[in-house]
Amino acid sequence: MSAVIIDGKAISQQIKDEIREKTALLKEKGKEVTLAVIIVGEDPASKVYVRNKKKACEYVGFNSLSYELPEDTTQDKLLELIDELNKRADVDGILVQMPLPKHIDEKTVIDRIDPSKDVDGFHPMNVGALCIGERGFVSCTPAGVIQLLKRGVPDLDLTGKRCTVVGRSNIVGKPMALLLLRENATVTVAHSKTADLDQVLLESDVIIAAVGRPKMIKAHQVKEGAVIIDVGINRMDDGKLCGDVDYENVVSKVKAITPVPGGVGPMTIAMLMNNCYEAALMRE
Ligand code: NDP
């Protein structure tokens, strides 16, 4: 069987192009979309992420406001800025780049963002909305995974399928499980305490790996014809990136799989743009 290699770059481009068109239409009606991005400190990876987010804003036609605060910014100062952005009618989305320096409590910061501007989907109100099936912003990476499944494997109907999410973090694993449930899948969440991971994985039609352990999921754990989405991003000693799935050995067994890089990675920013567009639409 020759596996479908799900092309995250192409799918994220498709989504950004759709948003670009919708944003142009909104502009014709006099509404601009604005994302405010805050970064505290000098973390090089965070700086790259923020730069990519700004580039994506430019591409889809959003305004982006950038706040680059020094490492020693106090929590109160950051909260003040968030309060100000919450009040501004011209700001649709607010994103605080994580991680924050150790003296700032991330939860306090997330809780301070107006839920209607929380385009990262991390605020408890948005997490709660997802949990009870109400409208709200969904964390971008798991939302991107759903798009990869729908657009990358169009004949896959998740209804009744056995889907296993490996990992239970607040930003990937848990929202991922809830989104799959919304698609009527039968969902298992595996984690570091799961006793029979091999058995759970072998029974799965769809596996979403979100662990952060290079090549942890091996071919013998994967059912013939399964669909695999690899969220993991691990940097190897040689500087190359690899996922949580042993791609080279798994690929010949599965129906479809995402590569790393070029799978889930590019989707996160596309879904951020989507959330921001939705925020502007709601504000309208
Ligand atoms: P976390 O470290 O927050 O969570 C990892 C999860 O994996 C935990 O729930 C942990 O279980 C579970 N786990 C650890 N070891 C095992 C094991 N041996 N067997 C089964 N489960 C295990 O990571 P994140 O969710 O933030 O990220 C996961 C991966 O996804 C990382 O590689 C990260 O870089 C990547 N990522 C990629 C993004 C993208 O845009 N593509 C965005 C976000 C993350 P327990 O809860 O029991 O400790």
Coordinates of all heavy atoms in Angstrom, one line a residue, residues 21-82:
E21 N -8.8 35.9 0.9 CA -9.9 36.3 0.1 C -11.0 36.9 1.0 O -11.6 38.0 0.7 CB -10.5 35.1 -0.6 CG -9.9 35.0 -2.0 CD -10.5 33.8 -2.7 OE1 -11.7 33.5 -2.6 OE2 -9.7 33.1 -3.4
K22 N -11.3 36.2 2.1 CA -12.4 36.6 3.0 C -12.0 38.0 3.7 O -12.9 38.8 3.9 CB -12.7 35.6 4.1 CG -13.3 34.3 3.6 CD -13.7 33.4 4.7 CE -12.6 32.7 5.4 NZ -13.1 31.7 6.4
T23 N -10.7 38.2 4.0 CA -10.3 39.4 4.6 C -10.4 40.6 3.6 O -10.8 41.7 4.1 CB -8.8 39.3 5.0 OG1 -8.7 38.1 5.9 CG2 -8.3 40.5 5.8
A24 N -10.2 40.3 2.4 CA -10.3 41.4 1.4 C -11.8 41.8 1.3 O -12.1 43.0 1.2 CB -9.8 40.9 0.0
L25 N -12.7 40.8 1.4 CA -14.1 41.2 1.3 C -14.5 42.0 2.5 O -15.3 42.9 2.4 CB -15.0 39.9 1.3 CG -14.9 39.1 0.0 CD1 -15.7 37.8 0.0 CD2 -15.3 39.9 -1.2
L26 N -14.0 41.6 3.7 CA -14.3 42.3 4.9 C -13.8 43.8 4.8 O -14.5 44.7 5.3 CB -13.6 41.6 6.1 CG -14.3 41.6 7.4 CD1 -15.7 41.0 7.4 CD2 -13.5 40.7 8.4
K27 N -12.6 43.9 4.2 CA -12.0 45.2 4.1 C -12.9 46.1 3.2 O -13.1 47.3 3.5 CB -10.7 45.1 3.4 CG -9.5 45.6 4.3 CD -8.2 45.6 3.6 CE -7.1 45.6 4.7 NZ -5.8 45.3 4.1
E28 N -13.5 45.5 2.2 CA -14.4 46.3 1.3 C -15.6 46.8 2.1 O -16.1 47.8 1.7 CB -14.9 45.4 0.1 CG -13.9 45.2 -1.0 CD -14.4 44.2 -2.0 OE1 -15.6 43.9 -2.1 OE2 -13.5 43.7 -2.7
K29 N -15.9 46.1 3.1 CA -17.1 46.6 4.0 C -16.6 47.5 5.0 O -17.3 47.9 5.9 CB -17.7 45.3 4.6 CG -18.5 44.5 3.7 CD -19.6 43.7 4.4 CE -19.2 42.2 4.5 NZ -19.9 41.5 5.5
G30 N -15.3 47.8 5.0 CA -14.7 48.8 6.0 C -14.2 48.2 7.2 O -13.9 48.9 8.2
K31 N -14.1 46.9 7.3 CA -13.6 46.3 8.6 C -12.2 45.7 8.3 O -12.0 44.9 7.4 CB -14.6 45.1 9.0 CG -14.1 44.3 10.1 CD -14.1 45.0 11.5 CE -13.4 44.1 12.5 NZ -12.7 44.9 13.6
E32 N -11.3 46.1 9.1 CA -9.9 45.6 9.1 C -9.7 44.6 10.2 O -10.4 44.6 11.2 CB -8.9 46.7 9.2 CG -9.1 47.8 8.2 CD -7.8 48.3 7.6 OE1 -6.8 47.9 8.1 OE2 -7.9 49.0 6.6
V33 N -8.8 43.6 10.0 CA -8.5 42.6 11.0 C -7.2 42.9 11.6 O -6.2 43.1 10.9 CB -8.5 41.2 10.4 CG1 -8.4 40.2 11.5 CG2 -9.8 40.9 9.6
T34 N -7.1 43.0 13.0 CA -5.9 43.3 13.6 C -5.5 42.3 14.7 O -6.3 42.0 15.6 CB -6.0 44.7 14.3 OG1 -6.3 45.7 13.2 CG2 -4.7 45.1 14.9
L35 N -4.3 41.8 14.6 CA -3.8 40.9 15.7 C -2.6 41.6 16.4 O -1.7 42.1 15.8 CB -3.2 39.6 15.0 CG -2.5 38.6 15.9 CD1 -3.4 38.0 16.9 CD2 -1.8 37.5 15.1
A36 N -2.7 41.6 17.8 CA -1.7 42.1 18.6 C -0.8 41.0 19.1 O -1.4 40.0 19.7 CB -2.3 43.0 19.7
V37 N 0.5 41.0 18.9 CA 1.3 40.0 19.4 C 2.3 40.5 20.4 O 3.0 41.5 20.2 CB 2.1 39.4 18.2 CG1 3.1 38.3 18.7 CG2 1.2 38.8 17.2
I38 N 2.4 39.9 21.6 CA 3.3 40.3 22.7 C 4.3 39.3 22.9 O 4.0 38.1 23.0 CB 2.5 40.5 24.0 CG1 1.3 41.5 23.8 CG2 3.4 41.1 25.1 CD1 0.4 41.6 25.0
I39 N 5.6 39.7 22.9 CA 6.6 38.8 23.3 C 7.5 39.4 24.4 O 7.7 40.6 24.4 CB 7.5 38.4 22.0 CG1 8.7 37.5 22.4 CG2 8.0 39.7 21.3 CD1 9.4 36.9 21.2
V40 N 7.8 38.6 25.4 CA 8.6 39.1 26.5 C 9.9 38.4 26.5 O 9.9 37.1 26.6 CB 7.9 38.9 27.9 CG1 8.7 39.6 29.0 CG2 6.4 39.5 27.9
G41 N 11.0 39.1 26.4 CA 12.3 38.5 26.5 C 12.9 38.2 25.1 O 12.4 38.6 24.1
E42 N 14.0 37.4 25.1 CA 14.8 37.2 23.9 C 14.9 35.8 23.5 O 15.8 35.5 22.7 CB 16.2 37.7 24.2 CG 16.4 39.2 24.7 CD 16.0 40.1 23.5 OE1 16.3 39.8 22.4 OE2 15.4 41.2 23.8
D43 N 14.0 34.9 23.9 CA 14.0 33.5 23.5 C 14.1 33.4 21.9 O 13.1 33.9 21.3 CB 12.8 32.8 24.0 CG 12.8 31.3 23.6 OD1 13.8 30.6 23.9 OD2 11.9 30.8 23.0
P44 N 15.1 32.9 21.4 CA 15.3 32.9 19.9 C 14.2 32.1 19.2 O 13.7 32.6 18.1 CB 16.7 32.2 19.7 CG 17.2 31.9 21.0 CD 16.3 32.2 22.1
A45 N 13.7 31.0 19.7 CA 12.7 30.2 19.1 C 11.4 31.1 19.0 O 10.7 31.1 18.0 CB 12.5 28.9 19.8
S46 N 11.1 31.7 20.2 CA 9.9 32.5 20.3 C 9.9 33.7 19.3 O 8.9 34.0 18.6 CB 9.7 33.1 21.7 OG 9.5 32.1 22.6
K47 N 11.1 34.2 19.1 CA 11.3 35.4 18.1 C 11.0 34.9 16.7 O 10.3 35.6 15.9 CB 12.7 35.9 18.2 CG 12.9 36.8 19.5 CD 14.2 37.5 19.4 CE 14.1 38.9 20.1 NZ 15.3 39.7 19.9
V48 N 11.4 33.7 16.4 CA 11.1 33.1 15.1 C 9.6 32.9 14.9 O 9.0 33.3 13.9 CB 11.9 31.8 14.8 CG1 11.5 31.1 13.5 CG2 13.4 32.0 14.9
Y49 N 9.0 32.4 15.9 CA 7.5 32.1 15.8 C 6.8 33.5 15.6 O 5.9 33.5 14.8 CB 7.0 31.5 17.1 CG 7.5 30.1 17.3 CD1 7.8 29.6 18.6 CD2 7.5 29.2 16.3 CE1 8.2 28.3 18.8 CE2 8.0 27.9 16.5 CZ 8.3 27.4 17.8 OH 8.7 26.1 17.9
V50 N 7.2 34.5 16.4 CA 6.5 35.8 16.3 C 6.7 36.4 14.9 O 5.8 36.9 14.3 CB 7.0 36.7 17.4 CG1 6.6 38.2 17.1 CG2 6.5 36.3 18.8
R51 N 8.0 36.2 14.4 CA 8.2 36.7 13.0 C 7.4 36.0 12.0 O 6.8 36.7 11.1 CB 9.7 36.5 12.7 CG 10.2 37.5 11.7 CD 11.7 37.4 11.3 NE 12.6 37.1 12.5 CZ 13.5 36.1 12.5 NH1 13.7 35.3 11.5 NH2 14.2 35.9 13.6
N52 N 7.2 34.7 12.2 CA 6.4 34.0 11.2 C 4.9 34.4 11.3 O 4.2 34.4 10.3 CB 6.5 32.5 11.4 CG 7.9 32.0 11.0 OD1 8.6 32.7 10.2 ND2 8.3 30.8 11.5
K53 N 4.5 34.7 12.5 CA 3.1 35.1 12.7 C 2.8 36.4 12.0 O 1.8 36.7 11.4 CB 2.7 35.1 14.2 CG 2.6 33.7 14.8 CD 2.5 33.7 16.3 CE 2.6 32.2 16.7 NZ 2.7 32.0 18.2
K54 N 3.8 37.3 12.2 CA 3.7 38.7 11.5 C 3.7 38.5 10.0 O 2.9 39.2 9.4 CB 4.9 39.5 11.9 CG 4.7 40.3 13.2 CD 5.8 41.4 13.4 CE 6.6 41.2 14.6 NZ 7.8 42.0 14.7
K55 N 4.5 37.6 9.5 CA 4.6 37.4 8.0 C 3.2 36.9 7.6 O 2.7 37.3 6.5 CB 5.6 36.3 7.7 CG 6.9 36.9 7.3 CD 7.7 35.9 6.5 CE 9.1 35.8 7.1 NZ 9.8 34.5 6.8
A56 N 2.6 35.9 8.3 CA 1.4 35.3 7.9 C 0.3 36.4 8.0 O -0.6 36.5 7.1 CB 1.0 34.2 8.9
C57 N 0.3 37.3 9.0 CA -0.7 38.4 9.0 C -0.6 39.3 7.8 O -1.6 39.6 7.1 CB -0.4 39.3 10.2 SG -1.0 38.7 11.8
E58 N 0.7 39.6 7.4 CA 0.9 40.4 6.2 C 0.3 39.7 5.0 O -0.4 40.3 4.2 CB 2.4 40.5 6.0 CG 2.9 41.9 5.7 CD 4.4 42.0 5.8 OE1 5.0 41.6 4.8 OE2 4.9 42.3 6.9
Y59 N 0.5 38.4 4.9 CA 0.1 37.6 3.7 C -1.5 37.6 3.6 O -2.0 37.9 2.5 CB 0.6 36.2 3.8 CG 0.2 35.4 2.6 CD1 0.9 35.6 1.4 CD2 -0.9 34.6 2.6 CE1 0.5 34.9 0.2 CE2 -1.3 33.9 1.4 CZ -0.6 34.0 0.3 OH -1.0 33.4 -0.9
V60 N -2.1 37.4 4.7 CA -3.6 37.3 4.6 C -4.3 38.7 4.6 O -5.5 38.8 4.4 CB -4.2 36.4 5.7 CG1 -3.7 35.0 5.6 CG2 -4.0 37.0 7.1
G61 N -3.5 39.7 4.9 CA -4.0 41.1 4.9 C -4.5 41.6 6.2 O -5.3 42.6 6.3
F62 N -4.0 41.0 7.3 CA -4.3 41.6 8.7 C -3.3 42.7 9.0 O -2.1 42.6 8.6 CB -4.2 40.5 9.8 CG -5.1 39.3 9.7 CD1 -4.9 38.2 10.5 CD2 -6.1 39.3 8.7 CE1 -5.8 37.2 10.5 CE2 -7.0 38.2 8.7 CZ -6.8 37.2 9.5
N63 N -3.7 43.6 9.9 CA -2.7 44.5 10.5 C -2.1 43.7 11.7 O -2.8 43.0 12.4 CB -3.4 45.7 11.1 CG -4.2 46.4 10.1 OD1 -3.8 46.6 9.0 ND2 -5.4 46.8 10.4
S64 N -0.8 43.9 11.9 CA -0.3 43.2 13.1 C 0.4 44.3 14.0 O 1.2 45.1 13.5 CB 0.7 42.1 12.8 OG 1.8 42.5 12.2
L65 N 0.1 44.3 15.3 CA 0.7 45.2 16.2 C 1.7 44.3 17.0 O 1.3 43.2 17.5 CB -0.3 45.7 17.2 CG -1.5 46.5 16.6 CD1 -2.5 46.9 17.7 CD2 -1.0 47.7 15.9
S66 N 2.9 44.8 17.2 CA 3.9 44.0 17.8 C 4.4 44.7 19.0 O 4.8 45.9 19.0 CB 5.0 43.8 16.7 OG 6.0 43.1 17.3
Y67 N 4.4 44.0 20.2 CA 4.9 44.5 21.4 C 6.1 43.6 21.9 O 5.9 42.5 22.3 CB 3.8 44.5 22.5 CG 2.7 45.5 22.1 CD1 1.7 45.0 21.3 CD2 2.7 46.8 22.4 CE1 0.6 45.8 20.9 CE2 1.7 47.6 22.0 CZ 0.6 47.1 21.2 OH -0.4 48.0 20.8
E68 N 7.3 44.2 21.8 CA 8.5 43.4 22.2 C 9.0 43.9 23.5 O 9.6 45.0 23.5 CB 9.5 43.5 21.0 CG 9.1 42.7 19.8 CD 9.9 42.9 18.6 OE1 11.1 43.3 18.7 OE2 9.3 42.7 17.5
L69 N 8.7 43.2 24.6 CA 9.0 43.8 25.9 C 10.3 43.1 26.4 O 10.6 42.0 26.1 CB 7.8 43.5 26.9 CG 6.4 43.9 26.4 CD1 5.4 43.5 27.4 CD2 6.4 45.4 26.1
P70 N 11.0 43.9 27.2 CA 12.3 43.3 27.8 C 12.0 42.2 28.8 O 10.9 42.1 29.4 CB 12.9 44.5 28.5 CG 11.9 45.6 28.6 CD 10.8 45.3 27.6
E71 N 13.0 41.3 28.9 CA 13.0 40.2 29.8 C 12.5 40.5 31.2 O 11.8 39.7 31.9 CB 14.4 39.6 29.8 CG 14.6 38.3 30.7 CD 14.2 37.1 29.9 OE1 14.3 37.1 28.7 OE2 13.9 36.1 30.6
D72 N 12.9 41.7 31.7 CA 12.6 42.1 33.1 C 11.3 42.8 33.3 O 11.0 43.4 34.3 CB 13.8 42.9 33.7 CG 14.0 44.2 33.0 OD1 13.3 44.4 31.9 OD2 14.8 45.0 33.4
T73 N 10.4 42.7 32.2 CA 9.1 43.3 32.3 C 8.3 42.7 33.5 O 8.4 41.5 33.7 CB 8.3 43.1 31.0 OG1 9.1 43.7 30.0 CG2 6.9 43.7 31.1
T74 N 7.7 43.5 34.3 CA 7.0 42.9 35.5 C 5.6 42.3 35.0 O 5.1 42.8 33.9 CB 6.7 44.0 36.6 OG1 5.8 45.0 36.0 CG2 7.9 44.6 37.1
Q75 N 5.1 41.4 35.8 CA 3.8 40.9 35.4 C 2.8 41.9 35.4 O 1.9 41.9 34.5 CB 3.5 39.8 36.5 CG 2.1 39.2 36.2 CD 1.9 37.9 37.1 OE1 2.7 37.0 37.1 NE2 0.8 37.9 37.8
D76 N 2.8 42.9 36.3 CA 1.8 44.0 36.3 C 1.8 44.8 35.0 O 0.8 45.2 34.5 CB 2.0 44.9 37.5 CG 1.5 44.2 38.8 OD1 0.8 43.2 38.7 OD2 1.9 44.7 39.9
K77 N 3.0 45.1 34.6 CA 3.2 45.9 33.3 C 2.5 45.1 32.2 O 1.8 45.7 31.3 CB 4.7 46.1 33.0 CG 5.2 47.4 33.6 CD 5.0 48.5 32.5 CE 5.3 49.9 33.0 NZ 4.1 50.7 33.5
L78 N 2.8 43.8 32.1 CA 2.3 43.0 31.0 C 0.7 42.9 31.1 O 0.0 43.1 30.1 CB 2.8 41.5 31.1 CG 2.3 40.5 30.1 CD1 2.5 41.0 28.7 CD2 3.0 39.2 30.3
L79 N 0.2 42.8 32.4 CA -1.2 42.8 32.5 C -1.9 44.1 32.1 O -3.0 44.1 31.5 CB -1.6 42.4 34.0 CG -1.2 41.0 34.4 CD1 -1.5 40.8 35.9 CD2 -1.9 39.9 33.6
E80 N -1.2 45.2 32.4 CA -1.6 46.5 32.0 C -1.8 46.6 30.5 O -2.8 47.1 30.0 CB -0.6 47.6 32.4 CG -1.0 48.5 33.5 CD 0.2 49.4 33.9 OE1 0.7 50.1 33.1 OE2 0.6 49.4 35.1
L81 N -0.8 46.1 29.8 CA -0.8 46.1 28.4 C -2.0 45.3 27.8 O -2.7 45.7 26.9 CB 0.5 45.6 27.8 CG 0.6 45.5 26.3 CD1 0.3 46.8 25.5 CD2 1.9 44.9 25.8
I82 N -2.2 44.1 28.5 CA -3.3 43.3 28.0 C -4.6 44.0 28.3 O -5.5 44.0 27.4 CB -3.3 41.9 28.8 CG1 -2.0 41.1 28.3 CG2 -4.5 41.1 28.5 CD1 -1.8 39.9 29.0

